Amino acid sequence: MAASFFNNKARAAAAAASSSSKLKAGDNKEDSTKLQPWVEKYRPKTLDDVAAQDHTTKVLRRTLQASNLPHMLFYGPPGTGKTSTILALAKSLFGPALYRSRILELNASDERGIGIVRDKVKNFARAQLSQPTGLDAAYRAQYPCPPFKIIILDEADSMTQDAQSALRRTMETYSRITRFCLVCNYVTRIIEPLASRCSKFRFKMLDNSAAGERISNIAEQEGLQLEDGVVDTLIRCGEGDLRRAITYLQSAARLVGPTKPPAVKDADDDAEMTDVGSNSSVITVNSIEEIAGVLPDDVLDSLVEAMQPTSGASAYEAVSGVITDIVADGWSATQLVGQLYRRVVFNEAIPDIQKNKIVMLFSEVDKRLVDGSDEHLSMLDLALRIAGVLRGN
């Protein structure tokens, strides 16, 4: 009698623990989805979801129908969908059941010297394919499951020359059961013997319509209220990088907080309460520019005014004071160069001869900043040299 009592009690406790663990697992899954970055949350799941890369996706759809892929080389600016495209293609080929066993993805965060190529990459490439078991006819009808594996080398342009040289022999030897996809930003950093073995796919910067449509769709699904001009501001600040634009949007959404309907206490305060609630949850253009680090117009106007030619006076004192304030406020030199370029070069009041000289100055300073020069001295040198060109020196 006592044994059966304790057994029943233990079973009830085990059942309660099991149900609570399932609830916690479900809650954790939901919380992880909420806390997930929007770049990953809204990453394209299929080739149809990839925006503004029609030529590439059209070719890949045909190869998807034939269930045969060449070695591929994806190159283009960051944030244009290179990694998302190959991941969506891999999921469409193998489905969730075979994805982990057929795909090897290495990023720039992984060590990818010649040792990794000879060890990890080569071992995965030469491993024989195992026949999948337990896959029904419906799964095979939905996913082609071709008889090869795919190795994705993201940011392949950061691989060493020796690693790339060792990789070309591996690509030839195991091409029957393994396909390689190299993803990079600069195709010139891929050695020619490796690039000639791949079909090249160029990813262009997203146009405003495609990027704006994707951003508006994300804002609608997240229930965000956007001020007029926010989408255009995100596209401008993103500079063709959709990933950066989505990150700015998520940061702005966290800044304004969750959108909640305003609580109305009585009829007299109806209009006032509604106005306050709506303003507190609307993402504005100013908030996007502040998150993106865009210099305010008054700061840029003061710098342009200091560079203007004046009779007999030196421009150093005025320009140096403005540049010192910009550095003290923590503004980015790269952001300043970009905004000042648009302000000066597109100014119709400046003659074309002077613009030609000024453009050369911008290119030189931009190269210095990329090489890691001092931002304060670079900005001061650029502003003074532009002032000299405007004065006719």
Side-chain angles (χ1 to χ4, degrees), residues 281-388:
S281 60
V282 173
I283 297 177
T284 62
V285 174
N286 293 333
S287 63
I288 297 295
E289 291 181 345
E290 183 178 354
I291 291 172
V294 177
L295 275 74
D297 290 336
D298 55 347
V299 175
L300 210 58
D301 292 339
S302 62
L303 179 59
V304 173
E305 183 179 356
M307 293 188 302
Q308 295 298 324
T310 55
S311 57
S314 174
Y316 177 79
E317 295 296 335
V319 171
S320 177
V322 176
I323 293 296
T324 302
D325 293 339
I326 291 175
V327 174
D329 291 338
W331 298 110
S332 170
T334 305
Q335 184 67 35
L336 172 67
V337 169
Q339 290 186 240
L340 189 61
Y341 173 83
R342 289 187 289 269
R343 179 67 67 90
V344 174
V345 172
F346 294 104
N347 187 357
E348 296 181 356
I350 301 177
D352 292 339
I353 299 297
Q354 293 182 349
K355 286 183 180 180
N356 188 22
K357 298 178 181 179
I358 291 174
V359 167
M360 297 302 296
L361 299 179
F362 276 111
S363 62
E364 183 180 341
V365 172
D366 185 62
K367 176 64 168 57
R368 290 182 190 173
L369 292 175
V370 171
D371 292 340
S373 63
D374 184 82
E375 292 192 354
H376 190 176
L377 295 179
S378 298
M379 289 189 291
L380 183 60
D381 179 61
L382 175 63
L384 290 176
R385 293 172 70 179
I386 292 177

Side-chain angles (χ1 to χ4, degrees), residues 63-80:
T63 60
L64 182 62
Q65 294 173 358
S67 299
N68 190 17
L69 287 178
H71 298 305
M72 295 174 292
L73 174 59
F74 291 175
Y75 66 97
T80 53

Side-chain angles (χ1 to χ4, degrees), residues 8-31:
N8 293 334
K9 189 174 182 180
R11 290 171 185 167
S18 176
S19 61
S20 62
S21 63
K22 289 181 180 179
L23 290 176
K24 289 181 180 179
D27 294 341
N28 291 336
K29 185 176 182 180
E30 184 178 356
D31 293 341

